[in-house]
Amino acid sequence: MVTSSAPGKVYLFGEHAVVYGEPAVPCAIERRARVTATEREAGLRIHAEDLTLDGYTVEYTGTEGDHPDIDVSDSLVEAGIGYIQAAVEQARDAADRPDAGFEIVVESDIPLGAGLGSSAAVVVAAIDAATRELGVELTPEEIADRAYQVEYEVQDGQASRADTFCSAMGGAVRVEGDDCRRIEGVDTLPFVIGYDGGAGDTGKLVAGVRELRAEYNFAADTVTAIGDIVREGEAVLGTSDHEALGELMDFNHGLLSALGVSSRSLDAMVWAARDAGALGAKLTGAGGGGCIVALDDSDETLTALRYTPGCAHAFRAELATDGVVQE
Ligand code: PMV
């Protein structure tokens, strides 16, 4: 039996612009998915506990029409099973044990579908735990690559390397197309996260930005300006100047808002954080709903978010300097 854990993530800078080749900086957060893998004779048995699910157990035999008898939305469960099945396939492939059977237990404290990289964290931790259980140890880079293959497959080609790379490596990372690397020397970032309990439609939001960018030169310039913020932010990250980082986060949110991807609840949370004295605040991920990330060492932002109408859940999550680890 092996247990591994991997962190979720927020975008410190650069979502949406990254789609057009600009760099982005996702950061791993201390909210983790834990996966325990135990080898068994054959097949795959999955038990999952999640913040947003009551928990489910699925005996999966691979037979067509095999359907879990549980009381949560089918699409959520099917997605969850798809990720775990594909992660287990990667582990079987890495260990050259195509018939290895597994019992997989998933526990996650990353809200599902909130843009915090919960599926990537589960996949990364599952590949690590299952390969170790079969006696094979992959590097974090190898795990990141295999986890990306899983997301690519399960999400029908709609996957970026950001979530899986960030989760496997931990810390602050820089993503530009397929080029991903860790930004060294970043130890602490006092993140506070506000979650409105919903989620935007990533495909629609990305398409909206694409249309604006095609229609108006100033929208294209806005995307390029986000890239400039990322480049500036990378330089600041090395200096631990959190005030400057916060200012850049505020600027990044303004530009995302101009591109139409913020929402009333995201703006309300961003302003609540700023009014409470956060050094900066922005939406994180695709937008339209979901999460904001603020930078604040004190408890003020957390308290303010808890009293903000439209904020369903607020929590502190420091930068996770560890990526995937065996527990
Ligand atoms: O909401 P998330 O965390 O899946 O992030 C989406 C990020 C986008 O830049 C909007 C899209 C993408 O694929 O990079």
Side-chain angles (χ1 to χ4, degrees), residues 4 11 13 15 24 26 37 61 65 69 77 104 109 111 117 121 128 142-143 151 163 209 231 240 245 288 293 309:
S4 297
Y11 272 95
F13 303 116
E15 55 273 87
T61 55
D69 176 22
V77 172
I104 300 284
D109 48 29
D128 190 60
E142 287 169 326
I143 292 170
E151 289 219 320
D163 289 20
V209 173
R231 284 178 277 273
S240 306
L245 274 185
V293 56

Side-chain angles (χ1 to χ4, degrees), residues 214-306:
E215 192 172 354
Y216 299 115
N217 282 338
F218 52 78
D221 291 345
T222 303
V223 169
T224 312
I226 292 177
D228 292 338
I229 291 176
V230 181
R231 284 178 277 273
E232 186 76 27
E234 276 180 80
V236 173
L237 258 176
T239 69
S240 306
D241 183 347
H242 291 172
E243 275 190 24
L245 274 185
E247 193 169 75
L248 292 170
M249 289 167 74
D250 284 342
F251 216 122
N252 196 161
H253 181 77
L255 296 183
L256 287 167
S257 188
L259 291 172
V261 299
S262 191
S263 72
R264 197 176 279 267
S265 58
L266 293 174
D267 283 343
M269 292 190 287
V270 160
W271 278 106
R274 290 176 184 164
D275 286 346
L279 298 174
K282 63 181 279 294
L283 68 85
T284 169
C291 291
I292 65 128
V293 56
L295 216 54
D296 188 0
D297 267 321
S298 81
D299 288 334
E300 302 293 319
T301 297
L302 187 62
T303 307
L305 284 173
R306 288 194 170 142

Side-chain angles (χ1 to χ4, degrees), residues 15 17-18 20-21 32 34 41 57 70-71 91 104-105 126 131 143 171 180 197 229 264 276-278 280 282 301 303:
E15 55 273 87
V18 72
Y20 306 98
R32 304 179 80 86
R34 268 167 219 86
E41 289 242 319
T57 300
I70 37 177
D71 187 24
I104 300 284
V105 178
T131 45
I143 292 170
C180 305
I229 291 176
R264 197 176 279 267
K282 63 181 279 294
T301 297
T303 307

Side-chain angles (χ1 to χ4, degrees), residues 9 11 15-16 18-19 115-116 160 163 202 206 285-286:
K9 67 102 202 9
Y11 272 95
E15 55 273 87
H16 283 287
V18 72
V19 173
L116 297 179
S160 97
D163 289 20
T202 304
V206 170

Side-chain angles (χ1 to χ4, degrees), residues 44 46 48 56 79-89 104 106 122-123 126:
L44 177 59
I46 301 166
Y56 59 85
I81 296 170
Y83 284 114
I84 293 163
Q85 260 181 279
V88 162
E89 258 329 300
I104 300 284
V106 182
V122 168
V123 169

